[in-house]
Amino acid sequence: MSLIVQKFGGTSVANLNRIQHVAKRVTQTYDQGNDVVVILSAMAGVTDSIIQLAHQVAPLPDKRELDVLLATGEQTTAALLAMMLKEMNYPAQSLLGFQVKVLTDDRFGNARIRDIGGGPIPDLLQRRNIVVVAGFQGSDDNGNITTLGRGGSDTSAVAIDAALKADMCEIYTDVDGIYTADPNICQRARKLHTISYEEMLEMASLGAKVLQIRSVEFAKKYGVPIHVRSSFVDEEGTMVVEEDSYMERVVVSGVTCDKRQARITLVQVPDRPGIAHKIFAPIAEAGILVDMIIQTSPAGGRNDITFTVPQTDYPQAMQIEERVAAEIGAKGVQGRDDIAKVSVTGLGMKSHSGVATKMFAALASENINIRLISTSEIRISCVIDEKYAELAVRVLHSAFELDREPPQPEQGASGGASACCA
C-alpha cells in the first residue's frame, strides 16, 4: 500500500461531470489499497471571475480581503468532491489550507510556504479516509488566509507530499505529459518519459506552463517524484525526477518560447560605479522581475544597458526608467514589447560543445535576427522579434532532431524536457 497525493487542475474540475470523473479516478486508486490525499484547484475560470467581481467593488481591492475571497474557489471544489465521494459510499473529508497547517508568510496574493504540519491528515488516513484538500491557500502567523499565486495548487500538492513523505505526487492536467515543444506549434513534438528537476525548472522559467516553478523547486529540494498526466486519458504521462547519468547523454531535450516579454534599453549611460544599482533598484522595489541584462563595452565613458521584463510590466518599467535616465544623465530610453525569448535546454549541454553554434545557424537559415543572448549551464536563450517565435520553435526542434526518440537505457526511462510557447 502506498500514499498517493493527487492534484487536479481547474480544467479537471470545470463542472460537476468532470468532478464526478475525478471522483472515479480517486476511488480507483483507493480501491487498489492506496491511501489518497487529493489537492484541488478552483473550477476553470472561477478565479478570474472572482477577481473581476472584486474589481467591481474596488479598483484596487485590499489584498488581505482579496485572498479571503479567492480561497473560496478551491473551498467549493473540495467540498463538492468530498460530497460526491460520500454519495459513492467512500469515506471522505474535505479540509482547508489552515486546517492542514499550511503556514505561510504574509505576502497576500503570492505567499510562500514556511511549513506544513498536516493537521488531521495522518489520523484521517489511518482510518482509511480519502482526504480532500483545498489547494492554493494557507494562513500566516496571525491566522489570516493567504493564497500562493497562480498555479499555487501545484505547490500545495508537492509541499503536502513532502510533509507527509508520500510515495508519489500525481499532477493531473489537461495535457498528457511534457513534450519536446508545444504540440500546438510543432506537430512533431514528442512526449517525454522523464525530465530532470533541473530541466523542468529551466522550462518553467522560460514559458512552459505545465508545472508552476515553485512546485518544481519544492520537488527538487525534497526529492518528490512528480507524475504529470492527463485527467482525461489513462495512459502514462511524464515523470519529473532526479537527474541521472543517462539524461546527460541527451544534448538538447526541449525548445521553449515566451512571447510575453519586453525589452528596455538605457542609451549612453555614464560608466561609473553605482549606476547599475540606480537603474535596477527602483525596478526591484516595484516588484518587477528582470530577466536578461546586457551591457555594451564602454566607449567615451558611456555604454548602453539592455534588459528584459514581463510584457505586462513594460509600461510601468518604462515610466520608472525614463525617470532614472534623467536622474543619472543617460541620453534616453528605448523599448519594445513585441519580442519573444526562444530557448533550448538539455542536461547534455554541460558536456557537449557546439550547441550555441547550431542554434544560431538554425535561426540564421530562416533570416531570424537575434537581439539578445543569455546562457546557463543547461540552457541558451535568444531574444527575437515576436512574429518569428513559432517559426523559431519549429526550426530549432528540427535542427536538434527532437522528433526522434533517443535510444533507451536498458533499465529506467530516458531524460528530457518540456517546452511551451506562451
Side-chain angles (χ1 to χ4, degrees):
M1 182 174 67
S2 299
L3 172 54
I4 309 296
V5 174
Q6 297 182 324
K7 180 264 176 179
F8 293 89
T11 55
S12 302
V13 292
N15 52 51
L16 289 180
N17 286 336
R18 290 193 175 179
I19 293 175
Q20 187 174 44
H21 181 71
V22 167
K24 291 177 180 178
R25 275 196 173 273
V26 171
T27 55
Q28 182 180 22
T29 304
Y30 179 88
D31 288 340
Q32 292 170 352
N34 301 301
D35 288 331
V36 185
V37 177
V38 185
I39 315 297
L40 295 182
S41 297
M43 294 180 178
V46 165
T47 299
D48 288 337
S49 64
I50 288 175
I51 292 173
Q52 291 174 7
L53 190 64
H55 282 283
Q56 291 178 27
V57 175
L60 294 173
D62 180 85
K63 290 185 176 181
R64 179 192 180 279
E65 302 307 328
L66 184 58
D67 271 8
V68 173
L69 186 61
L70 288 172
T72 62
E74 282 70 20
Q75 180 174 338
T76 299
T77 50
L80 288 172
L81 179 61
M83 290 178 190
M84 200 166 286
L85 290 169
K86 289 177 179 179
E87 284 297 306
M88 297 166 63
N89 295 317
Y90 284 87
Q93 183 169 322
S94 66
L95 297 170
L96 305 183
F98 78 90
Q99 292 175 305
V100 299
K101 311 301 181 185
V102 178
L103 180 64
T104 75
D105 58 25
D106 60 0
R107 286 187 284 183
F108 298 110
N110 195 30
R112 297 274 178 166
I113 296 176
R114 289 178 173 170
D115 187 38
I116 293 182
I121 292 180
D123 181 60
L124 289 168
L125 293 175
Q126 184 68 30
R127 293 187 276 118
R128 285 291 285 160
N129 279 272
I130 298 171
V131 181
V132 184
V133 180
F136 177 64
Q137 59 183 253
S139 61
D140 65 14
D141 290 334
N142 296 316
N144 297 305
I145 293 174
T146 57
T147 64
L148 308 181
R150 286 290 186 177
S153 292
D154 285 352
T155 303
S156 297
V158 175
I160 288 173
D161 182 296
L164 298 175
K165 295 180 170 59
D167 298 285
M168 178 65 68
C169 181
E170 298 180 337
I171 304 290
Y172 286 89
T173 181
D174 55 357
V175 297
D176 62 349
I178 299 168
Y179 282 73
T180 53
D182 186 342
N184 295 315
I185 294 172
C186 184
Q187 294 182 354
R188 301 177 70 181
R190 173 175 50 84
K191 186 172 75 174
L192 297 157
H193 305 292
T194 314
I195 173 176
S196 72
Y197 296 128
E198 291 84 355
E199 289 171 310
M200 192 67 245
L201 280 170
E202 289 282 4
M203 294 299 152
S205 69
L206 295 169
K209 298 178 288 186
V210 178
L211 285 174
Q212 196 232 29
I213 190 168
R214 282 161 60 188
S215 70
V216 186
E217 291 172 347
F218 251 103
K220 183 179 187 303
K221 181 177 180 179
Y222 294 102
V224 175
I226 301 176
H227 189 185
V228 179
R229 57 194 310 186
S230 172
S231 299
F232 310 113
V233 295
D234 289 329
E235 64 187 54
E236 293 293 304
T238 302
M239 291 297 303
V240 185
V241 294
E242 292 282 358
E243 172 186 342
D244 62 37
S245 59
Y246 179 79
M247 291 179 179
E248 294 190 12
R249 292 166 56 187
V250 181
V251 180
V252 169
S253 44
V255 183
T256 59
C257 74
D258 186 352
K259 295 188 285 188
R260 300 168 299 180
Q261 294 287 307
R263 184 185 74 182
I264 296 175
T265 300
L266 277 78
V267 181
Q268 294 192 22
V269 176
D271 182 30
R272 61 174 183 263
I275 286 294
H277 177 262
K278 291 181 178 180
I279 291 172
F280 294 107
I283 292 287
E285 291 170 3
I288 298 172
L289 179 66
V290 173
D291 185 16
M292 295 180 170
I293 301 175
I294 306 293
Q295 179 173 305
T296 62
S297 298
R302 292 178 175 267
N303 53 39
D304 294 347
I305 296 179
T306 299
F307 60 94
T308 60
V309 297
Q311 199 175 63
T312 52
D313 293 322
Y314 174 67
Q316 183 183 8
M318 280 294 289
Q319 288 181 352
I320 291 171
E321 293 307 325
E322 285 169 355
R323 184 182 71 248
V324 169
E327 292 173 355
I328 64 176
K331 184 176 181 180
V333 182
Q334 300 173 356
R336 291 184 58 181
D337 63 355
D338 58 346
I339 63 169
K341 178 170 61 179
V342 62
S343 310
V344 296
T345 302
L347 288 174
M349 292 169 62
K350 295 178 182 178
S351 55
H352 291 77
S353 62
V355 178
T357 299
K358 181 178 284 189
M359 182 180 188
F360 302 156
L363 295 175
S365 70
E366 294 292 338
N367 293 316
I368 299 174
N369 192 29
I370 299 171
R371 306 290 182 179
L372 298 171
I373 301 169
S374 72
T375 65
S376 77
E377 192 176 26
I378 64 170
R379 180 263 305 161
I380 301 172
S381 297
C382 296
V383 168
I384 62 175
D385 291 345
E386 182 183 3
K387 62 184 178 181
Y388 297 121
E390 296 184 6
L391 173 61
V393 169
R394 292 189 289 269
V395 167
L396 293 172
H397 195 274
S398 296
F400 289 101
E401 300 181 325
L402 296 179
D403 55 313
R404 295 176 58 184
E405 186 77 31
Q408 300 298 303
E410 292 182 4
Q411 294 182 345
S414 68
S418 156
C420 171
C421 197

